[in-house]
Amino acid sequence: MTIIVTGGAGFIGSNFIFHMLGKYPDYRIVCLDKLTYAGNLSTLAPVMDNPNFRFVKLDICDREGVYGLFEEEHPDMVVNFAAESHVDRSIENPEVFLQTNILGTQVLMDACRKFGIQRYHQVSTDEVYGDLPLDRPDLFFTEETPIHTSSPYSSSKAGADLLVLAYYRTYGLPVTVSRCSNNYGPYHFPEKLIPLMIANALNDKPLPVYGKGENVRDWLYVEDHCKAIDLILHKGRVGEVYNIGGHNEMRNIDIVKIICKALGKPESLITFVTDRKGHDMRYAIDPTKIHNELGWLPETKFADGIQKTIQWYLNNREWWETIISGEYQNYYEKMYGNR
């Protein structure tokens, strides 16, 4: 089995590669990544010498390059993690989000049609559903919840989802889509909430929290997400959308306080900043479908997962410090300059 994993030098993609190579030692994994600011090749250092792993620096929007790779590798499956994913950046520059997240997805599916594929899997987000009110804890996103996007980022992901499902209906392309709640864990890029707060707290810097920090997110440990995608690839029904959620709803402010306590830092470091434009209040996923059909349940309680995550950042300071300094972007040249 050969699987092309796009965006595999990013947070969730890299964790997925580690999971798959660990669980299926006879699978060949080909990672395609453009290495934008959020793609970090040093993350993949543990598998770079694995004979069943190949890294290719490529933009999913590069049709000629993608077709060439498919011709070389003849993949059985494609898992598309490649996406611009930071909401604040999408508000500043929507165009690049539409380019990568929609047109890049189209290029990948056209390649799948041309060269044949057993499964194309689109990794999406719960943000396509918009948000839920804080005063209705009984409401959850299901696969039937109408799409109602809030940001250019979530709009681009929703557009990609609709395109994927249209390729299934129009061309019979064997596709699946997963929409996941917020992930956390090792190798999370330090601009996101949890790693940013850990890094800033360790450096005694202010901890910037939007608004009053009352926004609620459903948090899922990244390893549990990877296991869910693995299940969908092998057992999921073609043409279906699966919601993946952790039943771990937390207010942003409470997460920041947990991090302060774990690191022995004062809560006086918390600084409230002007809220994000169109900031969603609450996300909450109902994962009943994936549980009933595929038997998946999250295995990691938030209390355990957040401690494991904090410990990982303590043990791997060099990884995130090189990102904060900008040095990580030179890693590709160092790795491949003499290859």
Side-chain angles (χ1 to χ4, degrees):
M1 177 83 73
T2 297
I3 303 178
I4 288 181
V5 177
T6 70
F11 165 44
I12 306 174
S14 60
N15 277 282
F16 180 71
I17 287 170
F18 300 148
H19 166 78
M20 295 299 281
L21 286 171
K23 186 173 176 185
Y24 305 102
D26 54 338
Y27 280 22
R28 176 170 171 77
I29 304 289
V30 180
C31 172
L32 178 167
D33 200 295
K34 184 183 176 183
L35 295 181
T36 57
Y37 76 94
N40 185 356
L41 195 61
S42 68
T43 299
L44 294 169
V47 295
M48 274 300 186
D49 294 327
N50 186 318
N52 285 344
F53 177 74
R54 178 188 177 192
F55 177 82
V56 180
K57 186 173 189 254
L58 188 64
D59 184 347
I60 59 170
C61 297
D62 176 355
R63 189 173 290 271
E64 191 180 336
V66 169
Y67 281 19
L69 183 62
F70 272 68
E71 203 157 12
E72 282 176 39
E73 294 289 351
H74 296 289
D76 301 287
M77 294 181 175
V78 174
V79 184
N80 182 25
F81 289 95
E84 296 285 346
S85 66
H86 197 263
V87 175
D88 290 339
R89 288 177 187 259
S90 83
I91 293 169
E92 295 301 316
N93 183 11
E95 185 179 352
V96 68
F97 283 73
L98 305 183
Q99 186 81 33
T100 298
N101 297 358
I102 299 176
L103 298 179
T105 296
Q106 182 202 7
V107 169
L108 290 172
M109 289 193 298
D110 286 346
C112 290
R113 286 184 61 217
K114 181 176 170 69
F115 294 96
I117 200 92
Q118 288 178 28
R119 178 67 60 88
Y120 172 88
H121 183 73
Q122 179 75 4
V123 180
S124 188
T125 170
D126 60 355
E127 293 188 44
V128 301
Y129 297 123
D131 66 348
L132 296 165
L134 292 177
D135 60 357
R136 289 293 306 276
D138 56 313
L139 293 180
F140 294 89
F141 297 137
T142 73
E143 290 81 359
E144 308 306 316
T145 301
I147 283 173
H148 187 72
T149 59
S150 306
S151 69
Y153 160 62
S154 56
S155 299
S156 68
K157 291 297 285 184
D161 287 5
L162 294 173
L163 191 64
V164 169
L165 296 171
Y167 267 58
Y168 167 65
R169 180 154 181 176
T170 304
Y171 305 113
L173 190 70
V175 307
T176 41
V177 177
S178 58
R179 295 173 179 153
C180 192
S181 56
N182 283 38
N183 280 216
Y184 68 102
Y187 299 107
H188 203 175
F189 198 75
E191 71 181 356
K192 303 288 188 169
L193 177 73
I194 288 175
L196 177 67
M197 296 302 147
I198 295 170
N200 279 17
L202 286 171
N203 290 318
D204 296 307
K205 288 183 174 177
L207 308 179
V209 175
Y210 282 130
K212 296 177 182 175
E214 291 174 348
N215 307 69
V216 171
R217 298 293 179 262
D218 175 17
W219 292 92
L220 183 69
Y221 194 61
V222 65
E223 194 179 343
D224 290 337
H225 186 190
C226 295
K227 289 176 180 176
I229 294 172
D230 176 8
L231 266 177
I232 294 168
L233 280 179
H234 291 93
K235 295 181 179 173
R237 286 187 293 140
V238 167
E240 292 293 318
V241 174
Y242 291 93
N243 281 352
I244 306 170
H247 279 313
N248 272 314
E249 288 185 55
M250 299 284 295
R251 295 191 312 165
N252 288 349
I253 187 65
D254 295 329
I255 287 179
V256 178
K257 288 179 178 179
I258 288 170
I259 291 168
C260 286
K261 187 176 179 186
L263 295 175
K265 299 294 182 178
E267 289 183 10
S268 57
L269 286 174
I270 297 171
T271 309
F272 294 103
V273 298
T274 307
D275 209 352
R276 168 192 289 162
K277 293 175 184 173
H279 201 176
D280 290 336
M281 288 312 297
R282 173 177 171 252
Y283 301 150
I285 284 260
D286 178 357
T288 300
K289 178 177 174 179
I290 190 171
H291 173 61
N292 288 348
E293 287 193 18
L294 306 180
W296 179 87
L297 279 175
E299 297 169 25
T300 311
K301 292 190 174 79
F302 186 81
D304 299 330
I306 191 68
Q307 295 303 328
K308 278 204 285 188
T309 301
I310 291 167
Q311 193 58 50
W312 187 89
Y313 280 87
L314 285 170
N315 295 344
N316 293 273
R317 285 187 77 128
E318 188 184 357
W319 180 86
W320 54 266
E321 282 174 346
T322 56
I323 291 176
I324 290 169
S325 72
E327 268 303 299
Y328 78 105
Q329 290 187 313
N330 302 324
Y331 184 84
Y332 180 82
E333 293 307 320
K334 279 187 229 161
M335 279 291 291
Y336 281 92
N338 57 3
R339 280 199 177 192

